[in-house]
Amino acid sequence: MKVPTLLSAAFLVAALTLSQASSGRDDEMFEFARRKLDKVSTTVRKSWRVKSVAPLPGKRRRVISTGLNNQYLSARMQVNKAMAEAHGMQRTFSDGMIKSTALLAARSKKTTQALSAVGLGLYNDYQKYEDCQKKGSKGCEAPAGIVDQLRSLLGDAGFDDLMSVNGDVSLVFAIDTTGSMGEEITAAKNIIHAIASYPREGNVNYILSPFKDPGTGPVTKHTLINQFKAKVNGLSASGGGDCKELTMHGIIDAINKGVPRRKSPIFVFTDAGPKDEEFSEEYNTENAVGLALDQDSPINFFFSTSPGSCQKPQTFESFQRLIEETEGIGVMFNSGSKISEMSDVVMASLDGMTTIKSGGTGRRGPPSRRVIPPVGGPSFSKRYAIPVDETVDKLILVITVQRNPQFVQLQDPRNIAVAITHRLSYGAVWVINRPRRGTWGLVVPSSVGSHSFKVTSSSRVNIDFDHYFFWTLPRYRSVEIPITHPLKNTLARVKLLIPLKEKLNINSLIVDVIRVDDGTIIKRASLSGITASFHPPSEPFKLRLRGLTASGFPFERISRTVIRAKSTIIRMVYNRNYLTLPSGRARLSVRFAIHNNGPTTHFDYRLTTTVRGITIAQPRASRFPVSLGKYRYFSARITVSSRLSPGTLVPVVVTAKKRSTRKTEASLRVHFIITASRH
């Protein structure tokens, strides 16, 4: 089978026609899931009622929903992705296997795996619903499906917790506790004191992950904020002196050992760079990014001045990558005590934040210590347009500049300058409650030098979107297979998941491919229904969704992940029990496929895991070539020790390295959950 590398006009028309047909079906499938989940989730059934909120002086009356929240919408999008996976595999799984897996994963707090099982079950239910409709039968939606059955098994509270119906969230602090961090630890205590009085409908639990070098932890989890505060009060700054610390340990342990709720913000306090960017198979930058994305959790950094001659922490590529790829924010302080002022940013993150706009000069590096005064004031200025729609309850803007931050202005839709909320040595932060709707302007004069900024929205219900790329086999173009990234030299097709479509003017939507560094447009994608298509650029990029809300206000949102087109992809094509591994049983065969859209390459394949008690028998032919436009299957056998308890999560990383350079050309992370026996 040959994958087309150059698209002819006829092929392009056929692809777009196919996209239109498939978009309609997927839209119906995801709408089916929404109806089922919203109906059974107790609080969400009230969410479509709205209430009117009295306006501030000079501002229009707002209408907001009373039940939906960002955590629930994130869970629903994870279910949608699992439905797409099931559709791509073109197979159904037994109801018994799905129910037992979802139940086990939910009870052991493996939320992503539980939601994936819910998605498999809903795909089964949707197929039955389609068959019923084709026969012209009545009452096709009436039969109880996976959602009703799981609610019965988990109970009302258990099911609502799985779906994050109440908007419960975790607040995660990973704190560097070396000797130079005394002021920063005090600042963390002050932030906790400030957020104690923050009114919030959902519950919050708290996770603390201290780190230094040597030694990290222990990770602690608390249901009461006073317990969390006492634990932070017990931290003491000591040791260090060699500049770099075990930051990735702090982040990864916070996720793996603290087990935060889905879509929970992580805040890292540090004045040093990471020592463990490539520490081991478990502790490295790639795993930190992957774990955060699995949880849909942004990683935010509060940087303070590094001691002595150490490299400034904000200049490390790995930290920039964590911020960019998880849609977090990075704020730099000249003094650790200034971090205390960030309590309003931390509080806003609990409800959930989404990026409206980011940009700048596209250049990184430490700010200059030399402040250059402007001659006769600022010279020419760059004005960035920032659309603020009616769903934005808080507008947060963070900008970092080389010099002269006092000349940066944020202007509201009337071109009136708004006062800076927090002044920094090399930048500024604005936190604006209930901002005026319309187009704001960020005015940055040339006298500030290089700069970067990020604008985020915080509200209980954000307009947001997610996406997944998909591919079709040449002989089976009706089968859409979700893939981790687009392929080079071929048309990229991506499905958009927009949970609040009813709040948007669908006919106004535009999808842009934008640069990561400065936010400028690379190209505009073609959009048909919920499917966008474009030829991917060679550089890393993100997607931007823009248009008008149903009320007529302009809006913009930027995707979370950084996307890179590659010549090679790996996908899992078969596991008898999907994402489960039976404990203490015979070896289980898992099958993968590698697709190569670049020159003929000899690959070395390897499967690894960090969990003890897992034995992986590598494929016999672990080295073989894959030609241009071809794909090849390979399998491995996995054995689980009986000592590992059901509910244990087993991350397996599949890599394909180019033999001549030893460079990793493609990788795939798969999370299996151990079950008691084979289904």
Side-chain angles (χ1 to χ4, degrees):
M1 296 182 185
K2 186 173 182 178
V3 182
T5 55
L6 292 175
L7 289 171
S8 64
F11 182 85
L12 181 59
V13 171
L16 292 175
T17 303
L18 180 62
S19 294
Q20 291 172 355
S22 62
S23 285
R25 185 182 190 276
D26 288 340
D27 222 357
E28 292 172 4
M29 182 171 71
F30 298 150
E31 176 61 21
F32 172 83
R34 186 196 66 77
R35 292 197 303 270
K36 291 292 185 181
L37 291 168
D38 287 359
K39 178 182 177 182
V40 174
S41 301
T42 52
T43 306
V44 175
R45 278 183 289 181
K46 306 171 186 177
S47 68
W48 306 109
R49 295 203 301 266
V50 295
K51 64 181 181 181
S52 183
V53 178
L56 292 174
K59 299 188 179 181
R60 64 165 51 200
R61 180 173 294 271
R62 294 186 304 145
V63 176
I64 62 172
S65 63
T66 60
L68 281 176
N69 63 77
N70 296 312
Q71 287 73 26
Y72 171 75
L73 296 178
S74 172
R76 212 171 71 190
M77 285 191 285
Q78 178 62 35
V79 169
N80 290 160
K81 287 182 178 180
M83 295 177 77
E85 288 276 359
H87 176 58
M89 288 186 287
Q90 288 292 286
R91 60 173 300 197
T92 57
F93 298 89
S94 72
D95 291 339
M97 186 277 289
I98 292 171
K99 282 190 291 186
S100 61
T101 300
L103 197 62
L104 174 64
R107 288 175 174 170
S108 56
K109 301 301 180 184
K110 307 300 186 296
T111 305
T112 301
Q113 287 65 41
L115 293 173
S116 294
V118 173
L120 294 183
L122 276 169
Y123 179 70
N124 283 1
D125 291 345
Y126 181 67
Q127 287 187 305
K128 296 171 187 175
Y129 168 76
E130 273 194 318
D131 291 342
C132 176
Q133 282 199 317
K134 288 176 182 177
K135 294 175 182 177
S137 304
K138 296 182 179 180
C140 293
E141 289 209 38
I146 184 67
V147 175
D148 303 270
Q149 295 168 31
L150 273 180
R151 186 171 192 88
S152 176
L153 291 169
L154 288 171
D156 290 352
F159 185 82
D160 285 351
D161 183 60
L162 170 63
M163 293 302 303
S164 301
V165 166
N166 299 310
D168 296 346
V169 72
S170 302
L171 177 61
V172 183
F173 279 7
I175 302 179
D176 178 350
T177 59
T178 47
S180 59
M181 287 290 292
E183 287 187 344
E184 290 80 353
I185 293 173
T186 300
K189 298 173 187 176
N190 293 337
I191 289 174
I192 294 168
H193 179 75
I195 65 177
S197 59
Y198 177 62
R200 193 175 185 278
E201 292 183 36
N203 294 320
V204 183
N205 62 30
Y206 308 91
I207 297 169
L208 176 63
S209 179
F211 64 90
K212 60 168 69 176
D213 177 40
T216 59
V219 176
T220 55
K221 190 172 186 176
H222 312 278
T223 56
L224 299 176
I225 194 166
N226 286 338
Q227 297 171 340
F228 185 48
K229 186 176 180 181
K231 202 68 181 180
V232 175
N233 278 334
L235 295 178
S236 59
S238 62
D242 60 346
C243 293
K244 294 184 179 182
E245 311 301 339
L246 297 176
T247 316
M248 301 304 164
H249 281 66
I251 296 169
I252 290 171
D253 286 346
I255 298 173
N256 283 339
K257 298 177 181 179
V259 192
R261 291 175 172 132
R262 189 172 180 82
K263 207 173 180 61
S264 294
I266 300 170
F267 288 89
V268 183
F269 299 71
T270 187
D271 64 356
K275 178 174 282 187
D276 48 355
E277 293 167 301
E278 296 297 333
F279 187 84
S280 66
E281 288 185 356
E282 181 174 7
Y283 295 104
N284 54 66
T285 306
E286 190 70 35
N287 278 357
V289 170
L291 287 167
L293 291 177
D294 287 342
Q295 292 286 121
D296 201 7
S297 291
I299 299 178
N300 310 282
F301 279 83
F302 289 155
F303 300 116
S304 52
T305 303
S306 52
S309 60
C310 295
Q311 181 181 343
K312 296 182 185 300
Q314 70 274 13
T315 64
F316 282 86
E317 185 70 25
S318 56
F319 285 171
Q320 291 293 338
R321 186 180 170 200
L322 286 169
I323 293 168
E324 288 174 353
E325 299 212 13
T326 67
E327 274 305 292
I329 59 172
V331 186
M332 185 181 63
F333 302 87
N334 199 38
S335 167
S337 61
K338 290 282 288 182
I339 298 176
S340 298
E341 299 178 5
M342 290 295 104
S343 58
D344 48 4
V345 174
V346 175
M347 287 187 282
S349 72
L350 293 176
D351 285 333
M353 297 167 69
T354 183
T355 301
I356 295 176
K357 200 177 194 73
S358 63
T361 55
R363 289 182 291 166
R364 295 183 190 146
S368 170
R369 290 187 177 275
R370 185 167 63 96
V371 177
I372 303 175
V375 178
S379 52
F380 64 90
S381 298
K382 169 81 173 175
R383 192 179 196 277
Y384 298 96
I386 302 169
V388 175
D389 59 81
E390 66 270 28
T391 67
V392 181
D393 283 343
K394 284 187 180 179
L395 185 71
I396 299 169
L397 190 154
V398 179
I399 185 168
T400 301
V401 300
Q402 278 191 301
R403 52 189 175 265
N404 300 331
Q406 69 272 20
F407 292 119
V408 178
Q409 276 194 356
L410 178 63
Q411 299 175 348
D412 72 9
R414 299 166 297 177
N415 293 325
I416 297 175
V418 178
I420 294 173
T421 310
H422 306 295
R423 293 183 180 275
L424 308 175
S425 297
Y426 300 110
V429 178
W430 284 265
V431 181
I432 302 166
N433 292 311
R434 295 172 63 183
R436 182 177 292 272
R437 280 46 175 159
T439 302
W440 290 57
L442 177 65
V443 182
V444 184
S446 59
S447 59
V448 307
S450 62
H451 62 276
S452 63
F453 70 91
K454 179 172 286 187
V455 185
T456 56
S457 162
S458 171
S459 67
R460 182 172 170 82
V461 188
N462 289 319
I463 290 177
D464 205 353
F465 77 103
D466 203 345
H467 67 272
Y468 63 88
F469 286 90
F470 67 93
W471 190 57
T472 56
L473 295 173
R475 292 184 183 176
Y476 307 96
R477 299 199 184 281
S478 63
V479 180
E480 297 178 350
I481 302 169
I483 54 178
T484 54
H485 54 264
L487 278 168
K488 288 182 178 179
N489 304 318
T490 192
L491 188 72
R493 287 182 287 167
V494 59
K495 280 285 193 294
L496 303 179
L497 303 175
I498 310 172
L500 296 179
K501 285 194 304 179
E502 68 279 0
K503 291 183 178 291
L504 304 179
N505 178 343
I506 298 300
N507 294 327
S508 72
L509 297 185
I510 296 170
V511 176
D512 297 318
V513 179
I514 63 172
R515 291 186 174 86
V516 174
D517 280 349
D518 59 14
T520 56
I521 297 178
I522 301 173
K523 60 179 67 179
R524 182 181 295 183
S526 298
L527 185 61
S528 174
I530 61 171
T531 301
S533 56
F534 57 92
H535 288 280
S538 57
E539 63 185 292
F541 64 93
K542 288 190 174 187
L543 299 178
R544 177 172 66 194
L545 180 68
R546 59 188 172 100
L548 299 175
T549 65
S551 301
F553 288 100
F555 82 94
E556 290 183 14
R557 296 295 186 269
I558 296 176
S559 64
R560 288 179 178 79
T561 56
V562 176
I563 305 161
R564 296 174 177 85
K566 299 180 181 179
S567 298
T568 311
I569 57 171
I570 300 174
R571 63 184 182 91
M572 189 175 77
V573 295
Y574 178 76
N575 175 17
R576 177 178 174 181
N577 292 327
Y578 189 47
L579 296 181
T580 64
L581 297 173
S583 175
R585 290 298 188 103
R587 292 180 297 177
L588 183 73
S589 179
V590 184
R591 193 170 178 82
F592 300 89
I594 183 166
H595 303 256
N596 181 29
N597 214 41
T600 299
T601 304
H602 286 74
F603 293 104
D604 291 342
Y605 306 90
R606 189 179 179 216
L607 281 73
T608 59
T609 184
T610 57
V611 177
R612 295 181 179 180
I614 300 293
T615 303
I616 300 177
Q618 304 289 342
R620 291 181 180 178
S622 59
R623 297 183 177 184
F624 44 75
V626 183
S627 302
L628 168 66
K630 300 288 185 178
Y631 59 88
R632 184 159 182 171
Y633 295 102
F634 63 97
S635 62
R637 293 185 177 275
I638 302 176
T639 306
V640 181
S641 169
S642 57
R643 296 191 299 273
L644 290 174
S645 58
T648 301
L649 197 63
V650 179
V652 174
V653 178
V654 188
T655 57
K657 291 186 177 182
K658 192 174 182 178
R659 189 185 302 179
S660 59
T661 62
R662 304 304 302 160
K663 179 183 176 182
T664 299
E665 295 294 320
S667 63
L668 176 69
R669 292 168 55 90
V670 183
H671 289 88
F672 296 97
I673 190 167
I674 294 176
T675 57
S677 60
R678 191 185 299 274
H679 297 290

